[in-house]
Amino acid sequence: MENSKQEVNQVINLSAVEQNLKKSKFPFWLVILLPLLIILFIGVFYSRNIFEKDDTYIESKILEENDIDKVCLEREDRYSKNLFEGELTLLKEDLDLFQDHVSCVINNSCEYYTAGIFKSGYLQGYTRIVALTRDPGFLSPPYVDIILATKDFENYILHVPDCDYKRFEMAREKGYEAYIKHEKIIAQRTFETEHPQYIDLDEIFSLVFYGTFYSGMIDFLHSFDNIEVNYLDAQSTDLKISEVMPGKPSLIKHYELEDSGNVIKTRTYTLIEDSTGLRKWYSLNFRDSQKAYEEALEGWDKTNEIEFRIPRPYYRGLGFNSVQINRADDNIKFYDNYWNYLESGKGYGGERHALIVNIEIEELDQVGYIYNKVPLYRLKKTDSLLYKLAYDINIGSVGDEMEDLFYKRHLREVPTFEEYVQNNPLLFFQDYWGRWTLISESQFNTNFQ
């Protein structure tokens, strides 16, 4: 009986509250909603403070934003001046980033560098890290580009060239090719950079970024060794440009020809330093060759290669076809293509880089122009050392047992030295810096792969 009276009183009291609310014209639904909103606000504020203190959360958000289905920014769109503060510095401590199969303990083969702190962008406040090993096993190409970013030197974001995130996953699945410990990688991102894709030097020449961070580990190591370089001036950029000055170019190491090392100076590839001192490789190009390649690539379809055997357009750099030569005399003979430098056992792909040589204008005859812009020359002496070197590399290795194969490939007999020289296998021009540049015919191929 007592309980029934209490229930009746509660109903009366609630009715009284409702009547008072109606009289006050205060919305009844706010009585219920306001406490919920207060609780929700407190929860969001509390969780936000926790997450802001949790770098792992922030970095995982970076990964979520990095949807591989999104459009990847080209290098030019990721390029920014004055992106970093600090300079390239060798770290004394071991960051323990390489997997156990990389023999870091052998000759202290693993090194770590800081390469500036990001001053802006989505990685603002992060330190850029370069992980480097000189372990010979590392010369087999891994599928990751080993530049990273970190705040705490415990968790790392991996730089993935050109947003190709699947490469790291493939390497991780194969195991032996995943050189970096994947458990330390909490995210992947294609980093912003101070290295642009193109540097236009003038209306004729440009420098083009040469692929991944290490285009061949041997070349990659040059960026960190105390090698001799010669700095080159350019009016169109404030980035430092240098050419490597090797004691003897590796391409002629098997050819102990007298004075060859004094004639061939170096290759045309260059190193570009960003504000931290980190160097990357660039290729010197004819801008017209670059334009022709890009236009040809736009009109090419993979199905054409499969169905009609139309090959993918190839990248020429300083190369050109004979039709792009404006001849000084119609009787001058040329090979169809000029693309390679002198290379032992050159393959179909060729090489982007021509050779810089020590030569005087008095040793040359002008034979025309490339793209109506650049004077083109040949050697006056048909028995020149350079011709002998070219024949030895491109033709001379063909023995009697290979003559039939040579004929099937080239539909002609093996040329004599005199026949080879007659069509001007070597041509010369001066580049942006006035360096004498040598380019070889790419018509003959003697490696028979």
Side-chain angles (χ1 to χ4, degrees), residues 161-233:
D162 302 322
C163 304
D164 190 2
Y165 300 102
K166 294 181 180 178
R167 290 200 306 173
F168 184 64
E169 297 305 319
M170 290 171 60
R172 189 162 64 178
E173 289 172 4
K174 293 182 179 181
Y176 66 93
E177 288 182 331
Y179 288 89
I180 293 295
K181 292 182 176 179
H182 60 81
E183 63 269 19
K184 294 198 174 186
I185 304 301
I186 58 173
Q188 299 180 57
R189 196 74 186 241
T190 300
F191 292 177
E192 292 179 291
T193 180
E194 288 185 353
H195 283 97
Q197 180 67 31
Y198 304 103
I199 299 175
D200 291 332
L201 299 172
D202 58 14
E203 70 279 2
I204 298 173
F205 294 101
S206 66
L207 293 171
V208 180
F209 182 73
Y210 188 48
T212 60
F213 184 64
Y214 51 91
S215 52
M217 271 299 296
I218 300 300
D219 289 345
F220 166 69
L221 293 176
H222 285 170
S223 297
F224 297 90
D225 291 337
N226 294 321
I227 57 173
E228 181 184 357
V229 297
N230 179 41
Y231 284 97
L232 304 170
D233 294 327

Coordinates of all heavy atoms in Angstrom, one line a residue, residues 161-233:
P161 N 59.0 5.7 -53.7 CA 59.0 6.5 -55.0 C 57.8 6.3 -55.8 O 57.2 5.2 -56.0 CB 60.2 5.8 -55.7 CG 61.0 5.2 -54.7 CD 60.0 4.7 -53.7
D162 N 57.3 7.5 -56.3 CA 56.2 7.5 -57.2 C 54.9 6.8 -56.7 O 54.2 6.2 -57.5 CB 56.6 6.9 -58.6 CG 57.8 7.6 -59.2 OD1 57.8 8.9 -59.0 OD2 58.7 7.0 -59.7
C163 N 54.7 6.8 -55.4 CA 53.5 6.2 -54.8 C 53.3 4.7 -55.1 O 52.2 4.2 -55.1 CB 52.3 7.0 -55.3 SG 52.3 8.8 -54.9
D164 N 54.4 4.0 -55.4 CA 54.3 2.6 -55.7 C 54.3 1.8 -54.5 O 55.2 1.1 -54.2 CB 55.4 2.2 -56.7 CG 55.2 0.8 -57.3 OD1 54.2 0.2 -57.0 OD2 56.1 0.3 -58.0
Y165 N 53.2 1.8 -53.7 CA 53.2 1.2 -52.4 C 53.2 -0.3 -52.4 O 53.6 -0.9 -51.5 CB 51.9 1.7 -51.6 CG 51.8 3.2 -51.5 CD1 51.0 3.9 -52.3 CD2 52.6 3.8 -50.5 CE1 51.0 5.3 -52.1 CE2 52.6 5.2 -50.4 CZ 51.8 5.9 -51.2 OH 51.8 7.3 -51.1
K166 N 52.8 -0.9 -53.5 CA 52.8 -2.3 -53.6 C 54.2 -2.9 -53.6 O 54.4 -4.1 -53.3 CB 52.0 -2.8 -54.9 CG 50.6 -2.4 -54.8 CD 49.8 -2.8 -56.1 CE 48.4 -2.5 -56.0 NZ 47.6 -2.9 -57.2
R167 N 55.2 -2.1 -54.0 CA 56.6 -2.6 -54.1 C 57.1 -3.1 -52.7 O 57.7 -4.1 -52.6 CB 57.5 -1.6 -54.7 CG 57.3 -1.3 -56.1 CD 58.5 -0.6 -56.7 NE 58.9 0.6 -56.0 CZ 60.0 1.2 -56.2 NH1 60.9 0.8 -57.2 NH2 60.3 2.3 -55.5
F168 N 56.8 -2.3 -51.7 CA 57.3 -2.7 -50.4 C 56.5 -3.9 -49.9 O 57.1 -4.8 -49.3 CB 57.0 -1.5 -49.4 CG 57.6 -1.8 -48.0 CD1 58.9 -2.0 -47.8 CD2 56.7 -1.9 -47.0 CE1 59.4 -2.2 -46.6 CE2 57.2 -2.1 -45.7 CZ 58.6 -2.3 -45.5
E169 N 55.3 -4.0 -50.2 CA 54.5 -5.2 -49.8 C 55.1 -6.4 -50.5 O 55.2 -7.5 -49.9 CB 53.0 -5.0 -50.1 CG 52.4 -3.9 -49.3 CD 52.6 -4.0 -47.8 OE1 52.4 -5.2 -47.3 OE2 52.8 -3.0 -47.2
M170 N 55.4 -6.3 -51.8 CA 56.0 -7.4 -52.6 C 57.3 -7.8 -51.9 O 57.6 -9.0 -51.8 CB 56.1 -7.0 -54.0 CG 54.8 -6.9 -54.8 SD 55.1 -6.2 -56.4 CE 56.2 -7.4 -57.1
A171 N 58.1 -6.8 -51.6 CA 59.4 -7.1 -51.0 C 59.3 -7.8 -49.7 O 60.0 -8.7 -49.3 CB 60.2 -5.8 -50.9
R172 N 58.3 -7.4 -48.9 CA 58.1 -7.9 -47.6 C 57.6 -9.4 -47.7 O 58.0 -10.2 -46.9 CB 57.1 -7.1 -46.8 CG 56.9 -7.5 -45.4 CD 56.3 -6.4 -44.6 NE 54.9 -6.2 -45.0 CZ 54.1 -5.3 -44.4 NH1 54.6 -4.6 -43.4 NH2 52.9 -5.1 -44.8
E173 N 56.8 -9.7 -48.7 CA 56.3 -11.0 -48.9 C 57.5 -12.0 -49.3 O 57.5 -13.1 -48.9 CB 55.2 -11.1 -50.0 CG 53.9 -10.4 -49.5 CD 52.9 -10.3 -50.7 OE1 53.3 -10.8 -51.8 OE2 51.9 -9.8 -50.5
K174 N 58.4 -11.4 -50.1 CA 59.6 -12.2 -50.5 C 60.6 -12.4 -49.4 O 61.4 -13.3 -49.5 CB 60.2 -11.6 -51.8 CG 59.3 -11.7 -53.0 CD 60.0 -11.1 -54.2 CE 59.1 -11.2 -55.4 NZ 59.8 -10.6 -56.7
G175 N 60.6 -11.5 -48.5 CA 61.4 -11.6 -47.3 C 62.9 -11.2 -47.6 O 63.4 -10.2 -47.0
Y176 N 63.5 -12.0 -48.4 CA 65.0 -11.8 -48.6 C 65.3 -10.4 -49.3 O 66.4 -9.9 -49.3 CB 65.6 -12.9 -49.4 CG 65.1 -13.0 -50.8 CD1 65.8 -12.4 -51.8 CD2 64.0 -13.8 -51.1 CE1 65.4 -12.5 -53.2 CE2 63.6 -13.9 -52.4 CZ 64.2 -13.2 -53.4 OH 63.8 -13.3 -54.7
E177 N 64.2 -9.8 -49.9 CA 64.5 -8.6 -50.6 C 64.0 -7.4 -49.8 O 64.1 -6.3 -50.3 CB 63.8 -8.6 -52.0 CG 64.5 -9.5 -53.0 CD 63.9 -9.5 -54.3 OE1 62.7 -9.3 -54.4 OE2 64.6 -9.7 -55.3
A178 N 63.4 -7.7 -48.7 CA 62.9 -6.6 -47.8 C 64.0 -6.2 -46.9 O 64.1 -6.8 -45.8 CB 61.6 -7.0 -47.1
Y179 N 64.8 -5.3 -47.2 CA 66.0 -5.0 -46.4 C 65.7 -4.3 -45.1 O 66.4 -4.4 -44.2 CB 67.0 -4.2 -47.3 CG 67.6 -5.0 -48.4 CD1 67.0 -5.1 -49.6 CD2 68.8 -5.7 -48.2 CE1 67.6 -5.9 -50.6 CE2 69.4 -6.5 -49.2 CZ 68.8 -6.6 -50.4 OH 69.3 -7.3 -51.4
I180 N 64.7 -3.5 -45.1 CA 64.3 -2.7 -43.9 C 63.4 -3.5 -43.1 O 62.5 -4.2 -43.6 CB 63.7 -1.4 -44.3 CG1 64.7 -0.5 -45.0 CG2 63.1 -0.7 -43.1 CD1 65.8 0.0 -44.1
K181 N 63.5 -3.5 -41.8 CA 62.6 -4.2 -40.9 C 61.2 -3.6 -40.9 O 61.0 -2.5 -40.6 CB 63.2 -4.1 -39.4 CG 64.5 -4.9 -39.2 CD 64.9 -4.8 -37.8 CE 66.2 -5.7 -37.6 NZ 66.7 -5.6 -36.2
H182 N 60.3 -4.5 -41.4 CA 59.0 -3.9 -41.7 C 58.2 -3.6 -40.4 O 57.3 -2.8 -40.4 CB 58.2 -5.0 -42.5 CG 58.0 -6.3 -41.9 ND1 57.0 -6.5 -40.9 CD2 58.6 -7.5 -42.0 CE1 57.1 -7.8 -40.5 NE2 58.1 -8.4 -41.1
E183 N 58.6 -4.2 -39.3 CA 57.9 -3.9 -38.1 C 58.2 -2.5 -37.6 O 57.4 -2.0 -36.7 CB 58.3 -4.9 -37.0 CG 59.7 -4.9 -36.5 CD 60.6 -5.9 -37.3 OE1 60.1 -6.3 -38.4 OE2 61.7 -6.2 -36.9
K184 N 59.2 -1.8 -38.1 CA 59.5 -0.5 -37.7 C 58.8 0.6 -38.7 O 58.9 1.8 -38.4 CB 61.0 -0.2 -37.7 CG 61.7 -1.0 -36.6 CD 63.1 -0.4 -36.3 CE 63.7 -1.2 -35.1 NZ 65.0 -0.5 -34.7
I185 N 58.2 0.1 -39.7 CA 57.5 0.9 -40.7 C 56.0 1.0 -40.3 O 55.3 0.0 -40.4 CB 57.7 0.4 -42.1 CG1 59.2 0.2 -42.5 CG2 57.0 1.3 -43.1 CD1 60.0 1.5 -42.4
I186 N 55.6 2.2 -39.9 CA 54.2 2.3 -39.5 C 53.4 3.0 -40.6 O 52.1 3.0 -40.5 CB 54.1 3.2 -38.2 CG1 54.8 4.6 -38.4 CG2 54.8 2.5 -37.0 CD1 54.6 5.5 -37.3
A187 N 54.0 3.5 -41.6 CA 53.3 4.2 -42.7 C 54.2 4.3 -43.9 O 55.4 4.1 -43.8 CB 52.8 5.5 -42.3
Q188 N 53.6 4.5 -45.0 CA 54.3 4.7 -46.3 C 53.8 6.1 -46.9 O 52.6 6.4 -46.8 CB 54.1 3.6 -47.3 CG 54.5 2.3 -46.8 CD 54.2 1.2 -47.9 OE1 54.7 1.3 -49.0 NE2 53.5 0.2 -47.5
R189 N 54.7 6.8 -47.5 CA 54.3 8.0 -48.1 C 55.3 8.4 -49.2 O 56.5 8.0 -49.1 CB 54.3 9.2 -47.1 CG 53.6 10.4 -47.5 CD 52.1 10.2 -47.5 NE 51.4 11.3 -48.0 CZ 50.5 12.0 -47.3 NH1 50.2 11.7 -46.1 NH2 49.8 13.0 -47.9
T190 N 54.9 9.0 -50.2 CA 55.9 9.6 -51.2 C 56.2 11.0 -50.8 O 55.3 11.9 -50.8 CB 55.3 9.6 -52.6 OG1 55.0 8.2 -53.0 CG2 56.2 10.1 -53.7
F191 N 57.4 11.2 -50.4 CA 57.8 12.5 -49.7 C 57.9 13.7 -50.6 O 58.1 13.5 -51.8 CB 59.2 12.3 -49.0 CG 59.2 11.4 -47.9 CD1 60.4 11.1 -47.2 CD2 58.0 10.7 -47.4 CE1 60.4 10.2 -46.1 CE2 58.1 9.8 -46.3 CZ 59.3 9.6 -45.7
E192 N 57.7 14.8 -50.0 CA 58.0 16.1 -50.8 C 59.5 16.2 -50.9 O 60.3 15.5 -50.2 CB 57.5 17.3 -50.0 CG 55.9 17.3 -50.0 CD 55.5 18.5 -49.2 OE1 55.6 18.5 -47.9 OE2 54.9 19.5 -49.8
T193 N 60.0 17.0 -51.8 CA 61.4 17.0 -52.2 C 61.8 18.4 -52.6 O 61.0 19.2 -53.1 CB 61.7 16.0 -53.3 OG1 63.0 16.0 -53.6 CG2 60.9 16.3 -54.6
E194 N 63.1 18.6 -52.5 CA 63.8 19.8 -53.1 C 64.4 19.5 -54.4 O 65.0 20.4 -55.0 CB 64.8 20.4 -52.1 CG 64.2 21.0 -50.9 CD 65.3 21.7 -50.0 OE1 66.5 21.5 -50.2 OE2 64.9 22.4 -49.0
H195 N 64.3 18.3 -54.9 CA 64.9 17.9 -56.2 C 63.7 17.9 -57.2 O 62.9 17.0 -57.2 CB 65.5 16.5 -56.1 CG 66.9 16.5 -55.4 ND1 67.0 16.2 -54.1 CD2 68.1 16.8 -55.9 CE1 68.3 16.3 -53.8 NE2 69.0 16.6 -54.9
P196 N 63.7 18.8 -58.1 CA 62.7 18.9 -59.1 C 62.8 17.8 -60.2 O 63.9 17.2 -60.3 CB 62.8 20.2 -59.8 CG 64.3 20.6 -59.6 CD 64.7 19.9 -58.3
Q197 N 61.8 17.5 -61.0 CA 61.9 16.5 -62.0 C 62.8 17.1 -63.2 O 63.6 16.3 -63.8 CB 60.5 16.2 -62.5 CG 60.5 15.1 -63.7 CD 61.0 13.8 -63.2 OE1 60.8 13.4 -62.1 NE2 61.6 13.0 -64.1
Y198 N 62.6 18.3 -63.5 CA 63.3 19.0 -64.6 C 64.0 20.3 -64.2 O 63.4 21.0 -63.3 CB 62.3 19.3 -65.8 CG 61.6 18.1 -66.3 CD1 60.2 18.0 -66.0 CD2 62.1 17.2 -67.1 CE1 59.5 16.9 -66.4 CE2 61.4 16.1 -67.6 CZ 60.1 16.0 -67.3 OH 59.4 14.9 -67.7
I199 N 65.1 20.5 -64.7 CA 65.8 21.8 -64.6 C 66.2 22.2 -66.0 O 67.1 21.7 -66.6 CB 67.1 21.7 -63.7 CG1 66.7 21.2 -62.3 CG2 67.8 23.1 -63.7 CD1 68.0 21.0 -61.4
D200 N 65.4 23.2 -66.5 CA 65.7 23.7 -67.8 C 66.9 24.7 -67.8 O 66.8 25.7 -67.1 CB 64.4 24.4 -68.4 CG 63.3 23.4 -68.7 OD1 63.6 22.3 -69.0 OD2 62.1 23.8 -68.6
L201 N 67.9 24.3 -68.5 CA 69.2 25.1 -68.4 C 69.1 26.3 -69.4 O 69.5 27.4 -69.1 CB 70.4 24.2 -68.7 CG 70.6 23.1 -67.7 CD1 71.7 22.1 -68.3 CD2 71.0 23.6 -66.4
D202 N 68.6 26.0 -70.6 CA 68.3 27.0 -71.6 C 67.3 26.4 -72.6 O 66.6 25.5 -72.3 CB 69.6 27.4 -72.3 CG 70.4 26.3 -73.0 OD1 69.8 25.2 -73.1 OD2 71.5 26.4 -73.3
E203 N 67.2 27.0 -73.8 CA 66.2 26.5 -74.7 C 66.6 25.2 -75.4 O 65.8 24.6 -76.1 CB 65.9 27.6 -75.8 CG 67.1 27.8 -76.8 CD 68.2 28.7 -76.2 OE1 68.1 29.1 -75.1 OE2 69.1 29.0 -77.0
I204 N 67.8 24.8 -75.2 CA 68.3 23.5 -75.8 C 68.5 22.4 -74.8 O 68.0 21.3 -75.1 CB 69.7 23.8 -76.5 CG1 69.5 24.9 -77.6 CG2 70.3 22.5 -77.1 CD1 70.8 25.3 -78.2
F205 N 69.0 22.6 -73.7 CA 69.4 21.6 -72.7 C 68.6 21.6 -71.4 O 68.2 22.7 -71.0 CB 70.9 21.6 -72.4 CG 71.8 21.4 -73.5 CD1 72.4 22.4 -74.2 CD2 72.1 20.1 -73.9 CE1 73.3 22.2 -75.2 CE2 72.9 19.8 -75.0 CZ 73.5 20.9 -75.6
S206 N 68.3 20.5 -70.9 CA 67.7 20.4 -69.5 C 68.3 19.2 -68.8 O 69.0 18.3 -69.3 CB 66.2 20.1 -69.7 OG 65.9 18.9 -70.2
L207 N 68.2 19.3 -67.5 CA 68.6 18.2 -66.6 C 67.3 17.5 -66.1 O 66.3 18.1 -65.7 CB 69.3 18.7 -65.4 CG 70.7 19.3 -65.7 CD1 71.3 19.9 -64.4 CD2 71.7 18.2 -66.2
V208 N 67.3 16.1 -66.2 CA 66.1 15.3 -65.8 C 66.5 14.4 -64.7 O 67.5 13.7 -64.7 CB 65.6 14.5 -67.0 CG1 64.4 13.7 -66.6 CG2 65.3 15.5 -68.2
F209 N 65.7 14.3 -63.7 CA 65.9 13.4 -62.5 C 66.0 12.0 -63.0 O 65.2 11.5 -63.8 CB 64.7 13.5 -61.6 CG 64.8 12.7 -60.3 CD1 65.7 13.1 -59.3 CD2 64.0 11.6 -60.1 CE1 65.9 12.3 -58.2 CE2 64.2 10.8 -59.0 CZ 65.1 11.2 -58.0
Y210 N 67.0 11.3 -62.5 CA 67.4 10.0 -63.0 C 66.9 8.8 -62.2 O 67.6 8.0 -61.7 CB 68.9 10.0 -63.1 CG 69.5 8.8 -63.9 CD1 69.0 8.4 -65.1 CD2 70.5 8.0 -63.3 CE1 69.5 7.3 -65.8 CE2 71.0 6.9 -64.0 CZ 70.5 6.5 -65.2 OH 71.0 5.5 -65.9
G211 N 65.6 8.8 -61.9 CA 65.0 7.6 -61.3 C 65.1 7.6 -59.8 O 65.1 8.6 -59.2
T212 N 65.3 6.4 -59.3 CA 65.3 6.2 -57.8 C 66.5 6.7 -57.1 O 67.5 7.2 -57.7 CB 65.1 4.7 -57.5 OG1 66.2 4.0 -58.0 CG2 63.8 4.2 -58.1
F213 N 66.5 6.7 -55.8 CA 67.5 7.3 -55.0 C 68.9 6.7 -55.3 O 69.9 7.4 -55.3 CB 67.2 7.0 -53.5 CG 68.2 7.7 -52.6 CD1 68.3 9.1 -52.6 CD2 69.0 7.0 -51.7 CE1 69.1 9.7 -51.7 CE2 69.8 7.6 -50.9 CZ 69.9 8.9 -50.9
Y214 N 69.0 5.4 -55.5 CA 70.2 4.8 -56.0 C 69.9 4.2 -57.4 O 69.2 3.2 -57.5 CB 70.7 3.7 -55.0 CG 69.7 2.7 -54.7 CD1 69.5 1.5 -55.4 CD2 68.8 2.9 -53.7 CE1 68.6 0.6 -55.2 CE2 67.8 2.0 -53.4 CZ 67.7 0.9 -54.2 OH 66.7 0.0 -53.9
S215 N 70.5 4.8 -58.4 CA 70.4 4.2 -59.7 C 71.6 3.3 -59.9 O 72.6 3.7 -60.5 CB 70.3 5.3 -60.8 OG 71.4 6.2 -60.6
G216 N 71.5 2.1 -59.3 CA 72.7 1.3 -59.2 C 73.5 1.7 -57.9 O 73.8 2.8 -57.7
M217 N 73.7 0.7 -57.1 CA 74.3 1.0 -55.8 C 75.7 1.7 -55.8 O 76.0 2.5 -55.0 CB 74.4 -0.2 -54.9 CG 73.1 -0.5 -54.1 SD 72.8 0.8 -52.9 CE 74.2 0.7 -51.9
I218 N 76.4 1.3 -56.9 CA 77.8 1.9 -57.0 C 77.7 3.4 -57.2 O 78.3 4.2 -56.5 CB 78.6 1.3 -58.1 CG1 78.7 -0.2 -57.9 CG2 79.9 1.9 -58.3 CD1 79.4 -0.6 -56.6
D219 N 76.8 3.8 -58.1 CA 76.6 5.3 -58.3 C 76.0 5.9 -57.0 O 76.3 7.0 -56.7 CB 75.7 5.5 -59.5 CG 76.3 5.2 -60.8 OD1 77.6 5.1 -60.8 OD2 75.6 5.0 -61.8
F220 N 75.1 5.2 -56.4 CA 74.5 5.7 -55.2 C 75.5 6.0 -54.1 O 75.4 7.0 -53.4 CB 73.5 4.6 -54.7 CG 73.0 4.8 -53.3 CD1 72.1 5.9 -53.0 CD2 73.3 4.0 -52.3 CE1 71.7 6.1 -51.7 CE2 72.9 4.1 -51.0 CZ 72.0 5.2 -50.7
L221 N 76.5 5.2 -53.9 CA 77.5 5.4 -52.9 C 78.3 6.6 -53.2 O 78.8 7.2 -52.3 CB 78.4 4.2 -52.8 CG 77.8 2.9 -52.3 CD1 78.7 1.7 -52.3 CD2 77.3 3.1 -50.9
H222 N 78.4 7.0 -54.4 CA 79.1 8.3 -54.7 C 78.6 9.5 -54.0 O 79.3 10.4 -53.7 CB 79.1 8.5 -56.3 CG 80.0 7.7 -57.1 ND1 79.9 7.6 -58.4 CD2 80.9 6.8 -56.7 CE1 80.8 6.7 -58.9 NE2 81.5 6.2 -57.8
S223 N 77.3 9.4 -53.7 CA 76.7 10.5 -53.0 C 77.2 10.7 -51.6 O 77.1 11.8 -51.0 CB 75.1 10.3 -53.0 OG 74.6 10.3 -54.3
F224 N 77.8 9.7 -51.0 CA 78.2 9.7 -49.7 C 79.7 9.6 -49.5 O 80.2 9.7 -48.4 CB 77.5 8.7 -48.9 CG 76.0 8.9 -48.8 CD1 75.2 8.3 -49.8 CD2 75.4 9.7 -47.9 CE1 73.8 8.5 -49.8 CE2 74.1 9.9 -47.8 CZ 73.3 9.3 -48.8
D225 N 80.4 9.2 -50.6 CA 81.9 9.1 -50.5 C 82.5 10.5 -50.8 O 81.9 11.4 -51.4 CB 82.4 8.1 -51.5 CG 82.0 6.7 -51.1 OD1 81.7 6.5 -49.9 OD2 81.9 5.8 -52.0
N226 N 83.8 10.6 -50.3 CA 84.5 11.8 -50.6 C 85.1 11.7 -52.0 O 86.4 11.6 -52.1 CB 85.6 12.0 -49.5 CG 85.0 12.2 -48.1 OD1 84.0 12.9 -48.0 ND2 85.6 11.7 -47.1
I227 N 84.3 11.8 -53.0 CA 84.7 11.8 -54.3 C 85.1 13.2 -54.9 O 84.6 14.2 -54.3 CB 83.7 11.1 -55.2 CG1 82.4 11.9 -55.2 CG2 83.5 9.7 -54.9 CD1 81.3 11.5 -56.2
E228 N 85.9 13.2 -55.9 CA 86.3 14.5 -56.5 C 85.1 14.9 -57.4 O 84.7 14.1 -58.3 CB 87.6 14.3 -57.3 CG 88.0 15.6 -58.0 CD 89.2 15.4 -58.8 OE1 89.8 14.3 -58.8 OE2 89.7 16.4 -59.5
V229 N 84.6 16.1 -57.2 CA 83.6 16.6 -58.1 C 84.1 18.0 -58.6 O 84.9 18.7 -58.0 CB 82.3 16.8 -57.4 CG1 81.7 15.4 -56.9 CG2 82.4 17.7 -56.2
N230 N 83.5 18.4 -59.7 CA 83.7 19.7 -60.3 C 82.4 20.4 -60.4 O 81.4 19.9 -61.1 CB 84.3 19.5 -61.7 CG 84.6 20.9 -62.4 OD1 85.0 21.8 -61.7 ND2 84.3 21.0 -63.7
Y231 N 82.2 21.5 -59.7 CA 81.0 22.2 -59.7 C 80.8 23.0 -61.0 O 81.7 23.6 -61.5 CB 80.9 23.2 -58.5 CG 80.6 22.4 -57.2 CD1 81.6 22.1 -56.4 CD2 79.3 22.0 -56.9 CE1 81.4 21.3 -55.2 CE2 79.1 21.3 -55.7 CZ 80.1 21.0 -54.9 OH 79.9 20.3 -53.7
L232 N 79.5 22.9 -61.5 CA 79.1 23.6 -62.8 C 78.1 24.7 -62.5 O 77.2 24.5 -61.7 CB 78.5 22.5 -63.7 CG 79.4 21.3 -64.0 CD1 78.5 20.2 -64.7 CD2 80.6 21.7 -64.8
D233 N 78.3 25.8 -63.2 CA 77.4 26.9 -63.0 C 76.2 26.8 -63.9 O 76.3 26.3 -65.0 CB 78.1 28.3 -63.3 CG 79.2 28.5 -62.3 OD1 79.1 28.2 -61.1 OD2 80.3 29.1 -62.7

